[in-house]
Amino acid sequence: GSEMCIRDSGGADGGANGAHDGGLAYCIFTSGSSGVPKGVAISNASLANVVRHFGDALRLGRARAWVCVSPVCFDICALEMWLPLCYGRTLCLASAVQARSGAALLLLLRAALSAAGFAPRAAADARARRASHAEEEEVEGEAGARRERDSDADSDGDTARADAEAVLQATPSTFHLLVQSGWEGSAGLAVLCGGERLVPSLLPLALSCHSLTNCYGPTEATIWCAAHAVRSRAARAATRRAHARAGMG
């Protein structure tokens, strides 16, 4: 058999060996940005900084539920697990089987949205208002684009820009699994996409979901070091190009 040794942390207050900003949050084996395999040590302060930024600056701490699909050996899993726990939200853990099956993952996603109090009818109305507003801006040109930026920055009283009900962070490959299973997006869902190149075929999620954020970051930077919100204008343009290539208009 095997034995496990548990070291005394020095008491409830953490003591000399307890958690502190300069302490080690985790060490993960990766090739990172250098291509040379190594162990990357991430401090508590670095992990807390990422969790705080995505929770407050991106307002994702207000979402009632997070769906965790990443394995623990993938560093982005730390954000999926710790952010909802730190903000007192619901954490829905996908099993290894669910994470590999688009149909099973879709069922889990719908359950998470239901647990978060997602109202499909209200979301559909909000999505319709958002699409109508976007079409008006497209007709009005650059003046409309400026209003779109102002609207995104100021969400007070705008039901179309209300906080997301749930969050799903995954790679483009995982989102392709969902799309292939018939998923067309969820209006109450904030999508964080990273770890691979964001392909144009996924850009329409910026229209059908609450939001689509493209994330990038080597392991050494602590999960993500850059996050870009994909605007509806770019999503509409990509959708038109895809339809043109398919001969759909």
Side-chain angles (χ1 to χ4, degrees), residues 40-189:
V40 174
I42 301 299
S43 70
N44 290 319
S46 296
L47 179 57
N49 181 60
V50 172
V51 169
R52 188 178 301 112
H53 173 77
F54 277 79
D56 294 342
L58 273 66
R59 301 168 64 91
L60 297 181
R62 302 189 180 196
R64 293 189 177 94
W66 277 64
V67 181
C68 179
V69 300
S70 302
V72 293
C73 58
F74 192 4
D75 63 340
I76 70 173
C77 181
L79 182 63
E80 297 172 28
M81 290 194 302
W82 286 111
L83 193 151
L85 294 179
C86 288
Y87 284 80
R89 306 308 184 187
T90 298
L91 174 60
C92 303
L93 291 169
S95 67
V97 173
Q98 288 173 317
R100 291 193 300 266
S101 167
L105 187 56
L106 182 55
L107 289 176
L108 177 65
L109 181 58
R110 288 172 175 166
L113 285 165
S114 177
F118 176 65
R121 180 179 297 276
D125 291 343
R127 185 165 53 192
R129 286 193 297 271
R130 186 161 63 240
S132 176
H133 182 57
E135 289 300 326
E136 291 174 1
E137 290 173 347
E138 186 174 10
V139 171
E140 295 175 7
E142 185 58 32
R146 285 195 296 271
R147 282 198 301 276
E148 181 179 1
R149 289 192 293 270
D150 294 340
S151 176
D152 288 342
D154 181 11
S155 60
D156 292 341
D158 184 356
T159 56
R161 300 300 304 173
D163 295 321
E165 298 288 347
V167 182
L168 174 60
Q169 172 186 258
T171 63
S173 297
T174 297
F175 285 110
H176 274 301
L177 278 178
L178 284 168
V179 171
Q180 290 169 358
S181 297
W183 183 61
E184 296 180 347
S186 303
L189 183 71

Side-chain angles (χ1 to χ4, degrees), residues 190-210:
V191 169
L192 299 180
C193 193
E196 302 166 3
R197 177 175 172 266
L198 178 60
V199 294
S201 60
L202 292 179
L203 290 180
L205 292 178
L207 292 174
S208 58
C209 293
H210 172 276

Side-chain angles (χ1 to χ4, degrees), residues 8-15 18:
D8 189 348
S9 64
D13 61 352

